[in-house]
Amino acid sequence: MRPEIAVLDIQGQYRVYTEFYRANAADKTIILVNGSLATTASFAQTVKNLHPQFNVVLYDQPYAGRSKAHNRHERMLTKEVEGQILLELIEHFAAEHVLSFSWGGAAALQALSQRPRRIEKAVISSFSPVINEPMRDYLERGVDYLGSRDGHRVGDLVNNTIGKHLPSLFKRFNYRHVSSLAEHEYGQMHFHISHVLHGDRQCYLRAARNIQVPVLFINGEWDEYTSANDARLFANHVQQSSFSTIQATGHFLDMEHKAACRDTRQALMGFLKPGQYDNRSRAPHVQEQHVRAL
């Protein structure tokens, strides 16, 4: 399963590395949006869960992964800019679905609030509009370590907090990646986190009110940083919202263990292809609540 690789020009300002996993029998395309500090490699399991039922698109933000060599990194990217990049990629690949992970939810919400004409459904995973106490502690320490460009402490922080339920092998990969980023990547993450800590968090709920397509929010039962309960605040703002809690799982969902991978896949397929993956056949590890805001 080899992707078609391209580096795309986005409005003459950014160059974005993309991977397109084509499936000849698929009639829909889904585009995946990375979390912070992540690259296309972090979606390896998710691609397996979705392909070949869907064509799957991955991409690296201009400052990260295989995109960074093609960009000049002269200014920090806001979530609004990341949302615009996503909109451009949706059009280029004619994508009908979006799936975001963690911080990627901020860009996804921004893009979806613009009501892109092609999008039919969206999945927002491991994201919430709330900064609770565990998340605040994580972000404040992150700002400190990123500000001093201390990659080793950033790597330890990720593994000991949001990544604490990952298998040891994945923790080693995480640490190796996070502790050896480029200077501008630490600067970009410092910018993101500072904005989250001190910016207007109501912007996520305002964006949610403009979304007209069905959205599934997926969170892990053990994820105290972007909790399922906090994510359910979106129920009052997204017109067609549904929620899945993946049992015995933390922030990284399908990466954490086999049962979490299975249950995450069932939640995704039950939402994206309900005719083929009936909700009643789902494993008991998935608890779901459907909500339509008034």
Side-chain angles (χ1 to χ4, degrees), residues 143-294:
V143 163
D144 183 22
Y145 303 157
L146 288 164
S148 60
R149 306 299 192 263
D150 191 336
H152 297 291
R153 294 182 80 180
V154 175
D156 284 335
L157 176 66
V158 170
N159 279 342
N160 293 331
T161 54
I162 61 173
K164 62 186 174 183
H165 298 294
L166 284 168
S168 58
L169 178 62
F170 282 14
K171 285 188 175 184
R172 289 199 293 273
F173 288 152
N174 247 2
Y175 181 83
R176 186 184 309 159
H177 170 69
V178 173
S179 65
S180 59
L181 295 174
E183 178 90 3
H184 75 268
E185 290 178 273
Y186 292 125
Q188 178 67 55
M189 291 307 102
H190 185 274
F191 174 81
H192 275 165
I193 292 176
S194 296
H195 180 78
V196 172
L197 278 172
H198 306 296
D200 176 17
R201 294 190 295 279
Q202 291 294 313
C203 64
Y204 303 125
L205 300 180
R206 287 196 295 271
R209 294 188 190 104
N210 287 328
I211 298 173
Q212 293 185 322
V213 298
V215 181
L216 172 66
F217 296 91
I218 302 180
N219 300 81
E221 178 191 21
W222 292 344
D223 184 1
E224 61 196 286
Y225 300 92
T226 56
S227 76
N229 285 338
D230 290 341
R232 280 180 166 81
L233 289 178
F234 281 116
N236 295 322
H237 301 273
V238 177
Q239 292 180 13
Q240 301 178 69
S241 57
S242 56
F243 299 83
S244 284
T245 300
I246 309 302
Q247 301 297 285
T249 308
H251 188 76
F252 284 91
L253 300 174
D254 58 9
M255 297 174 65
E256 296 191 356
H257 53 80
K258 289 183 179 179
C261 180
R262 175 200 65 208
D263 293 347
T264 302
R265 184 178 188 275
Q266 289 176 331
L268 288 173
M269 290 303 183
F271 174 70
L272 296 172
K273 285 183 170 285
Q276 298 179 33
Y277 293 82
D278 195 301
N279 290 348
R280 292 171 296 180
S281 67
R282 295 183 183 181
H285 299 278
V286 182
Q287 295 179 342
E288 190 159 34
Q289 173 187 359
H290 293 270
V291 180
R292 181 182 289 272
L294 298 177

